[in-house]
Structure formats: C-alpha cells, structure tokens
Amino acid sequence: MELILKEDIIGLGYKNDIVTVKNGYGRNYLIPTGKAVIASNSAKKVLAENLRQQAAKLAAAKAEAEKKGAALEGVALTIAAKVAATGQLYGSVNTATVAEELAKKGIEVDRKIITMKDIKTVGTFEATIHYHKEVEVKVPVTVVAEGVGAAAPVVEEAVVEAPVETPEEETAE
C-alpha cells in the first residue's frame, strides 16, 4: 500500500514522502491517526504542487536544521550512572537522559528526534539526532560509573570478606 506521510515517522520516512507499507499498518494505524493518506494519482499531483510552492520554506527549514546541527558539532556527553559490581547499570541510559544532559549544556533537543539503543553497561556509545531528513548529527555518549575511585573497592571488599569469615567461624564451633 502506498501512502503519503503527513508527519515525520522515524524508521519509516519524513513528511511528504511516499512510502510503501503493509495494508494493516496503513489502514489500522497511519490513516486513522492522520499520519498518512493514500497515495492516489490526484493526491500525488496535489503533493507535487504543494512541494513546488513550499520549496522556499523547505530550504529555510533545512538551513535552520543545519544551524542546530552545527551547534552540536564537537559536543560529547559523559553521563555518570550507578553501576553494579558486574559492570551493569542500575536502570539504563536512554534518549530522555541524553536530552537532559544536552539541556544542561544549553542545547535544547526534543527526545523524540534522538535515536539510540538503551545503554545498560559502562562504555562509549553513539546517539543520532535527526533534525531534518538530510541533517543528522551523531553525538558520542560515554557512560562512566559514579564514584569510581571510592565506591567500587569498598563494595568488592565487603562481598569478598563476608563469605570467607562466616564459614571459618561455623567450622571452628
């Protein structure tokens, strides 16, 4: 089924794109929610005319997106999170966390235009910010453990010492 998108849907396409989707997805979700219309011949002609008339507006939107993207060039995020002894995070770092960290640096980004997998371990990852269909900015995200210097050895010592002392006392009695 061919549809004309009325808004950006990450993973499918951008506003005014003609996309092919399965019938159920189109009829049960995209069309009833107003996110798309059927791409008939007349609808395609209307779309072409609208795009011709809006060319200046689209160029201005792309220029604005490029300006926002340029503001993110060279930005790298470091997020401190609570980490278990196994190296796994308590919880995860997701798009909302990345948007908050960018806001702390003075860059307002809607979390809905950020794509990345939820981060559940310590390391370096990449988040992609989609400002426009032709403007994508990749931001490196480094996740580190909170209080690495003091907290980690104390936790390991407590875990190691407790089981070693208990069996010796039980054996001695």
Side-chain angles (χ1 to χ4, degrees), residues 3 19 23 51 56 68 72 80 82-83 88 109 111 143 151 158 163:
L3 298 176
V19 296
N23 291 342
L51 288 177
K68 288 179 181 178
L72 275 177
K82 293 183 180 180
V83 179
Q88 294 290 320
V109 176
R111 68 177 178 80
V143 179

Side-chain angles (χ1 to χ4, degrees), residues 36-154:
V37 295
I38 296 175
S40 63
N41 287 336
S42 60
K44 289 179 183 178
K45 289 178 184 176
V46 169
L47 174 65
E49 181 62 24
N50 287 342
L51 288 177
R52 189 184 64 75
Q53 291 176 359
Q54 294 177 351
K57 289 181 185 177
L58 294 174
K62 183 178 176 185
E64 179 70 23
E66 287 174 346
K67 188 172 91 174
K68 288 179 181 178
L72 275 177
E73 291 297 324
V75 172
L77 297 178
T78 302
I79 300 173
K82 293 183 180 180
V83 179
T86 61
Q88 294 290 320
L89 297 181
Y90 291 115
S92 65
V93 175
N94 54 23
T95 58
T97 312
V98 171
E100 286 177 20
E101 289 296 318
L102 287 171
K104 288 178 185 176
K105 292 188 177 235
I107 303 168
E108 292 296 322
V109 176
D110 184 13
R111 68 177 178 80
K112 294 177 184 172
I113 64 170
I114 300 172
T115 56
M116 62 182 257
K117 293 184 177 180
D118 286 352
I119 301 169
K120 298 181 188 262
T121 59
V122 174
T124 302
F125 303 91
E126 192 173 74
T128 304
I129 301 172
H130 306 270
Y131 280 118
H132 186 270
K133 68 181 177 182
E134 297 174 7
V135 180
E136 293 180 350
V137 180
K138 297 189 183 305
V139 176
V141 177
T142 304
V143 179
V144 296
E146 283 183 352
V148 173
V154 173

